[in-house]
Amino acid sequence: MTSSRGSQLLYLVSCAFAFESCLSAGAAPTRPAVTGPLNGPFFVQSYIGKCLTYGTLPAAAPGPPLASGSPVTISDCVGTASSRVVPQRVLQQIFVEEINESHEVVLHAGGKVIGIAGGFLAAQAPLELQDYQPLSSAQTFQLDGDSIILARDRNLVVEVRNGRGANGTPLVLGNRDLDDTEFWTFATADRVDRKPTRGFIRVPQDASFGAAVTGAKWGDVVEVDPTYQAAYPDLEPINVGPGVTIRGNRRFTLLGPEISAPNTTSQPDPMGMLVIGGNDVRITGMRLRGPTRDKDATGLAANGIHRPNCDLEAHPGCDWRGLIIDHNDLSDWTVAGVNIDGSNGSRDCSVTGHPDPVTRQLDVRVVRNFIHDQRNNEGSGYGIVVGSGGFASIVGNTFLQNRHSIAGDGTALAGYGAWFNLVLSRATRYGCCYQQDFDMHGSRGGYGPPGGSDVEIARNTFLGTNRDNVWLRGAPCGADRFSQNIVRSNSDTIKWFDNGGNGHNGPSFPTWLDVTADNSFGSGDPTQRLGVADFDGDGKDDLFLATGTAWYFAPAGAAEWRYLSAKAEGIDDLLFGDFDG
């Protein structure tokens, strides 16, 4: 075999036309101008159960070469005897070419490569087979263990169009929403245990968790063994560098690997267990457990994940954007499960300017986590807190037993957008009272003005009836909005504060707080009627909850409620079944 690209393409074409022979060969060609060989073959299987497919051939091979412009779709995964005995053979083998030290890749398929049709790098652009073009941004991707990310724009990923599971459904670029329609597994077709790039670091097989994370470089994926457990009793911060992914296997009823900080002694400087130190970090599928859920414990100041503020002169632009925290279990942190600091703690609206909150939401995303049992009698105990001008998009999380599930420090640029979150009913009492679920402090002794930048609370479900659901402690620099939420209590569970620090409960609200007419106050308890079906594809029936603003499911009825979809239909409007295979 020569090392020329022409010989490689002929080899890949022959693999596509002779499935069994390529599997038995178990080798991939190399070319001298890259850092490593073509790696494969792989099947690329979606979390919805189908495989990436780029064509079919008659059962009697060989057939004609695949044409540029051929669509890339999904279909039933080959690999079983019954799936191969069909009039046509499905082409699904993928080879991965790692093209640089950042572990960016080109995906080879049947003598072509996978690219974006027309080079139009935007949501809903379809994938197709293309002739290889060196350094083409339409053909260059990055892999982080479950996502196929467009290297040019990390907010775009490969997904199944419209989330459908039918054979022949096209694959397209989509916005990175972190749901199952955009998640993929690279499974070896030749049954040889390998990862798609050299950037995958296994823990504990390759190194300790702390050493693996701190030593990881841009594009590395630290994969933590499913049964891994590690304790850091002194809570030494583990620094996470730019472009690093930390991933566990928290899915179905699997709990995920656990990193804990038991019996932590006094921590006057609450840096955090995982400290973010760069752009485009992702933490997914982990259990991060703090020192205690005893609210009366004193002298403990611990965060699970902390994005600290930074010195703008030393690190220009170091607000470190692109942080994604998803599908984790975060509990027992005495300050916060997630603590997001910005780089500007000003309390003066007039000198800071006021950025568009929509574009800011991509800076930090906290999505589809279970965040619970953050308790502290000394004033902290937050599920998620933003401060020093920090801003976060908080979507589809489940909250339970936090002092405040979401909070902010009231500085002029601090804010959050909270969408589709489920706040469960159980809560811990502090002295006379139960604490509010969502909160934004004022910036002067806890009360405004200002009361942060922008707070948008939309399409969340608040199940608690023994407490206020929201406190907004001063007029913001921008505006606050409360819309399309499901609230079991009345509108008087929203409390706002005037500039003198005096509190007022609804239903009357100031001009800076828009409580829209489409909220549902005084709603019944949606947990009294549940559905049953398999929503995660593991073959086990799950419980289903429709709150009136979103759908949630509990895997096998044995795990917490997890965000499923942004749908307003109630359970009376639904039938359950598998309609497209």
Side-chain angles (χ1 to χ4, degrees):
M1 183 183 298
T2 69
S3 60
S4 70
R5 175 165 293 278
S7 297
Q8 293 177 52
L9 298 185
L10 288 174
Y11 179 88
L12 291 173
V13 171
S14 68
C15 280
F17 293 165
F19 177 80
E20 289 83 357
S21 65
C22 285
L23 292 190
S24 62
T30 62
R31 78 180 178 93
V34 298
T35 56
L38 294 183
N39 187 10
F42 293 98
F43 289 123
V44 183
Q45 183 170 5
S46 169
Y47 275 23
I48 64 176
K50 302 296 178 73
C51 279
L52 182 152
T53 303
Y54 50 87
T56 57
L57 290 172
L66 297 172
S68 295
S70 298
V72 179
T73 65
I74 58 167
S75 67
D76 293 329
C77 297
V78 300
T80 63
S82 60
S83 67
R84 299 182 194 175
V85 184
V86 293
Q88 292 182 319
R89 289 189 299 167
V90 177
L91 302 182
Q92 296 178 333
Q93 290 186 80
I94 298 295
F95 287 81
V96 178
E97 179 182 3
E98 189 173 350
I99 63 174
N100 55 36
E101 293 300 320
S102 296
H103 311 300
E104 293 176 350
V105 301
V106 173
L107 302 177
H108 291 260
K112 303 290 184 181
V113 300
I114 293 175
I116 311 304
F120 187 62
L121 307 183
Q124 300 308 303
L127 272 63
E128 65 178 12
L129 296 186
Q130 299 177 347
D131 294 324
Y132 178 78
Q133 299 177 18
L135 304 179
S136 169
S137 57
Q139 298 175 354
T140 306
F141 300 93
Q142 190 126 31
L143 309 177
D144 72 351
D146 61 18
S147 299
I148 304 173
I149 306 162
L150 186 68
R152 175 73 172 270
D153 183 350
R154 295 178 65 88
N155 295 315
L156 294 174
V157 294
V158 173
E159 67 179 18
V160 181
R161 189 174 69 185
N162 298 327
R164 298 192 67 238
N167 288 345
T169 302
L171 299 187
V172 298
L173 282 184
N175 293 318
R176 198 174 191 186
D177 298 321
L178 303 159
D179 61 35
D180 282 2
T181 64
E182 64 188 60
F183 288 159
W184 306 87
T185 299
F186 278 68
T188 54
D190 54 6
R191 300 175 179 84
V192 175
D193 184 21
R194 68 166 69 88
K195 295 299 180 182
T197 76
R198 294 173 297 119
F200 286 77
I201 302 168
R202 298 177 179 177
V203 177
Q205 291 91 336
D206 293 347
S208 72
F209 176 77
V213 172
T214 56
K217 298 179 176 58
W218 181 276
D220 285 348
V221 180
V222 179
E223 288 193 315
V224 188
D225 187 85
T227 61
Y228 188 77
Q229 291 186 326
Y232 290 81
D234 295 326
L235 199 63
E236 290 293 329
I238 299 171
N239 295 303
V240 188
V244 171
T245 294
I246 301 172
R247 63 176 307 105
N249 73 327
R250 180 175 170 75
R251 189 166 177 249
F252 308 132
T253 56
L254 302 174
L255 298 177
E258 180 180 273
I259 312 297
S260 63
N263 306 316
T264 301
T265 56
S266 177
Q267 288 286 326
D269 181 14
M271 281 298 294
M273 171 177 281
L274 296 178
V275 179
I276 308 304
N279 293 336
D280 297 312
V281 169
R282 183 182 178 199
I283 300 169
T284 181
M286 300 291 295
R287 274 187 298 163
L288 302 180
R289 194 171 307 281
T292 183
R293 62 183 60 178
D294 178 5
K295 67 182 177 64
D296 295 319
T298 59
L300 300 177
N303 291 295
I305 300 170
H306 188 193
R307 190 192 74 166
N309 55 21
C310 55
D311 183 349
L312 285 171
E313 292 185 3
H315 305 281
C318 64
D319 48 351
W320 292 325
R321 300 185 176 187
L323 172 61
I324 296 175
I325 300 165
D326 68 286
H327 295 87
N328 301 288
D329 179 327
L330 303 164
S331 70
D332 298 33
W333 298 100
T334 54
V335 176
V338 178
N339 191 333
I340 303 300
D341 281 332
S343 56
N344 192 329
S346 172
R347 303 175 186 274
D348 185 349
C349 295
S350 64
V351 299
T352 61
H354 181 63
D356 183 349
V358 175
T359 59
R360 292 186 72 196
Q361 288 183 7
L362 293 179
D363 291 359
V364 178
R365 302 175 64 191
V366 186
V367 183
R368 298 172 183 261
N369 302 280
F370 182 33
I371 302 177
H372 60 102
D373 293 292
Q374 271 68 230
R375 307 175 191 170
N376 190 316
N377 215 16
E378 298 179 332
S380 298
Y382 308 125
I384 303 167
V385 63
V386 295
S388 298
F391 195 97
S393 177
I394 301 168
V395 179
N397 302 281
T398 299
F399 294 107
L400 172 67
Q401 293 272 28
N402 305 295
R403 182 186 182 102
H404 304 317
S405 291
I406 305 175
D409 73 348
T411 49
L413 291 177
Y416 55 83
W419 287 71
F420 305 114
N421 300 287
L422 177 63
V423 185
L424 300 178
S425 58
R426 283 169 45 208
T428 297
R429 193 182 187 97
Y430 290 83
C432 69
C433 312
Y434 295 93
Q435 298 289 300
Q436 61 273 20
D437 297 315
F438 291 2
D439 182 90
M440 175 58 76
H441 283 61
S443 60
R444 306 177 190 281
Y447 298 90
S453 173
D454 298 87
V455 172
E456 182 167 29
I457 300 170
R459 300 191 69 176
N460 303 278
T461 300
F462 297 91
L463 296 181
T465 59
N466 59 353
R467 57 194 185 268
D468 288 339
N469 299 123
V470 176
W471 276 25
L472 300 169
R473 306 197 199 188
C477 295
D480 293 343
R481 182 178 175 85
F482 189 90
S483 64
Q484 303 181 70
N485 297 283
I486 301 296
V487 184
R488 290 193 61 208
S489 299
N490 295 318
S491 59
D492 60 3
T493 59
I494 303 174
K495 192 169 186 176
W496 59 278
F497 290 77
D498 59 30
N499 290 342
N502 300 307
H504 307 271
N505 288 87
S508 297
F509 301 101
T511 57
W512 52 262
L513 172 56
D514 183 10
V515 179
T516 61
D518 52 11
N519 291 286
S520 180
F521 293 106
S523 298
D525 185 354
T527 64
Q528 295 303 304
R529 291 202 61 196
L530 305 175
V532 176
D534 180 10
F535 293 96
D536 56 12
D538 66 350
K540 300 176 182 178
D541 281 340
D542 308 313
L543 291 180
F544 172 85
L545 171 66
T547 68
T549 190
W551 295 347
Y552 305 85
F553 77 103
E560 78 282 354
W561 292 113
R562 296 177 185 173
Y563 175 57
L564 182 65
S565 186
K567 298 290 192 300
E569 289 82 1
I571 197 167
D572 290 336
D573 302 316
L574 303 173
L575 294 174
F576 299 94
D578 182 357
F579 300 105
D580 64 2

